[in-house]
Amino acid sequence: MTPEEKEILVTRASMPSYEEFIEEIKPIWETAWMTNMGEFHDKLKDELKDYLNVQNLLLFVNGHMALEMALQAMNLTGEVITTPFSFASTTHAIIRNNLTPVFCDIREDDYTIDVDKIESLITDKTSAILPVHVYGNVCDVEKIQQIAKKHNLKVIYDAAHAFGVEVNGKGIGTYGDASMFSFHATKVFNTIEGGAIAFHDPSLEVLLNYLKNFGITGKESVEYIGGNAKMNEFQAAMGICNLRHVGDNIELRRQITERYRERLSGISGIRLIPPKEGIKQNYAYFPVVFDGFSQTRDEVYELLASHRIFARKYFYPLITDFECYRERFADVCLPVAKKAANNVLTLPLYAQLSLEEVDRICDIIISGK
Ligand code: T4K
């Protein structure tokens, strides 16, 4: 197959070798213990607490259920301030908890919540803020904390993209009351499907454990209306294997990101999100903004697709423009988020992407053909 014939997707899941995974899961054939918080689950939980540099962490079947259950456990009411420049999960989790999302605009430099616009959205019904560390870009965590403290609000971060990110040596999951990580196949670290909640108040652990197992509290008692959101042993085993290699994979992602930056910076009409001081990045995504470039974002997307290179418009459309929400949120007007949704393209990025492939992608974008 020539390089031109090869299909390049926006990402490719990281996997251990077949032999490594098979070796890891062998004991399951002796115990037949496949789910409900087994040995693999507990081992991965401990390893991830270390890796993510957090005190309290629980594993879930996926990131979305983790987020839904974190909101449920906080016993929130009324309104939750969030952003629509995200994956469907963020707003769905609010609405599926019978809460009302109130949408805040984002910052043009990194697409995280615009902290200067949060306070004007707070009402006597607001109970929480749910900001998104989108693409692994860190929200203004200090300012959000100040606002939350002043107005007595909970802060739950959607940290789906922020695995392993640190702020001045502190794990990103230590900020706010809770942070949700996604371990989906498309993420920097995966457990096939999976997720976790890191949380501040250790007393939440008992409740979250009940909620993810139907609210069952004893052999003959069910005290909460929970769901089923347990991570199974095969997922956890995949995580244990992947965690051994995640450092190497992040280093490869760094090299790819650097190459994209070298090739695409300084080009008129192309804007890249600059890295920030004091942040340990995870290089989860490579978003590029086309604003005043010779081609629009959609034209670049089509051009790449004609070469069998499938970049993605994360996140277009805005959540507020989804069919299921557009009538309800027709009055929401967030110009920065709207512009981002129309102009951003996330380019292919995964550990096995070669620098030659990165060059080819950049050549196509720059040449326009
Ligand atoms: N909050 C945010 C901000 C999120 O981005 C997400 C998930 C969540 C919450 C919820 O977390 P989870 O409940 O998912 O843990 C993907 C993922 O399914 C989703 O997890 C992710 N965000 C979102 C940004 O991307 P799609 O619809 O773009 O996935 P798909 O199937 O088109 O896959 C993209 C590419 O990944 C493929 O072209 C190839 C590669 N891939 C995909 C799969 C499924 C693999 O290499 N292996 C695979 O198994 O949503």
Side-chain angles (χ1 to χ4, degrees), residues 9-14 61-65 67 86-90 132 134 158 160-161 180-187 192-195 285 310 312 314-315:
L9 303 177
V10 68
T11 194
R12 184 182 162 86
S14 297
V61 66
N62 57 49
H64 178 77
M65 288 312 296
L67 186 57
S86 185
F87 194 57
S89 170
T90 318
V132 185
V134 65
D158 181 332
H161 300 175
M180 176 276 280
F181 294 95
S182 164
F183 307 148
H184 183 264
T186 53
K187 298 295 189 286
I192 310 172
E193 293 261 7
Y285 292 86
F310 298 96
R312 289 290 286 267
Y314 294 134
F315 289 100

Side-chain angles (χ1 to χ4, degrees), residues 82-360:
T82 190
T83 60
F85 188 70
S86 185
F87 194 57
S89 170
T90 318
T91 295
H92 283 356
I94 295 171
I95 293 197
R96 287 167 58 84
N97 268 289
N98 293 320
L99 298 162
T100 305
V102 172
F103 293 100
C104 184
D105 212 346
I106 55 176
R107 304 195 315 194
E108 192 141 21
D109 59 343
D110 64 4
Y111 301 131
T112 62
I113 194 163
D114 186 340
V115 287
D116 296 330
K117 297 193 177 133
I118 295 178
E119 281 197 283
S120 65
L121 299 171
I122 295 174
T123 69
D124 54 3
K125 297 200 195 85
T126 312
S127 61
I129 313 174
L130 203 178
V132 185
H133 298 304
V134 65
Y135 308 132
N137 295 335
V138 176
C139 298
D140 187 342
V141 284
E142 303 295 349
K143 186 76 200 283
I144 291 169
Q145 209 48 50
Q146 277 171 22
I147 296 171
K149 198 166 166 207
K150 182 169 157 199
H151 297 273
N152 195 22
L153 305 176
K154 297 280 189 210
V155 180
I156 301 101
Y157 283 104
D158 181 332
H161 300 175
F163 183 85
V165 170
E166 291 184 0
V167 185
N168 298 321
K170 268 184 79 177
I172 191 73
T174 58
Y175 290 91
D177 295 282
S179 297
M180 176 276 280
F181 294 95
S182 164
F183 307 148
H184 183 264
T186 53
K187 298 295 189 286
V188 169
F189 163 80
N190 81 76
T191 57
I192 310 172
E193 293 261 7
I197 290 289
F199 48 99
H200 183 71
D201 174 4
S203 70
L204 263 189
E205 175 150 356
V206 177
L207 177 57
L208 277 169
N209 265 326
Y210 290 147
L211 289 179
K212 72 176 188 178
N213 191 19
F214 304 100
I216 296 172
T217 52
K219 280 264 177 284
E220 296 179 5
S221 60
V222 181
E223 291 178 49
Y224 303 97
I225 306 170
N228 182 358
K230 291 161 280 151
M231 176 181 282
N232 71 50
E233 292 291 89
F234 291 87
Q235 290 175 287
M238 180 61 98
I240 289 165
C241 293
N242 278 334
L243 201 55
R244 294 184 190 121
H245 308 286
V246 75
D248 293 344
N249 285 339
I250 291 176
E251 171 53 20
L252 291 167
R253 285 173 170 274
R254 186 191 68 74
Q255 292 170 17
I256 294 161
T257 301
E258 290 307 317
R259 184 67 147 247
Y260 270 133
R261 283 194 181 283
E262 273 167 35
R263 295 291 319 272
L264 297 176
S265 2
I267 296 179
S268 170
I270 291 187
R271 195 164 60 75
L272 310 177
I273 298 175
K276 281 201 185 126
E277 279 288 301
I279 305 290
K280 182 176 161 205
Q281 300 177 65
N282 66 1
Y283 309 98
Y285 292 86
F286 194 76
V288 177
V289 189
F290 294 93
D291 188 9
F293 185 58
S294 51
Q295 304 205 28
T296 63
R297 186 277 306 271
D298 288 353
E299 286 165 349
V300 177
Y301 172 85
E302 294 298 341
L303 173 69
L304 289 171
S306 73
H307 289 273
R308 302 171 59 74
I309 297 165
F310 298 96
R312 289 290 286 267
K313 300 176 197 177
Y314 294 134
F315 289 100
Y316 174 88
L318 286 182
I319 294 176
T320 40
D321 290 333
F322 287 178
E323 288 81 351
C324 54
Y325 291 137
R326 65 167 74 122
E327 266 181 48
R328 181 165 172 184
F329 301 117
D331 294 341
V332 172
C333 171
L334 304 171
V336 183
K338 190 102 195 155
K339 191 170 166 194
N342 288 331
N343 291 354
V344 177
L345 194 62
T346 47
L347 299 183
L349 175 54
Y350 47 93
Q352 304 87 345
L353 188 70
S354 72
L355 296 181
E356 291 71 32
E357 287 170 321
V358 174
D359 282 339
R360 213 183 124 231

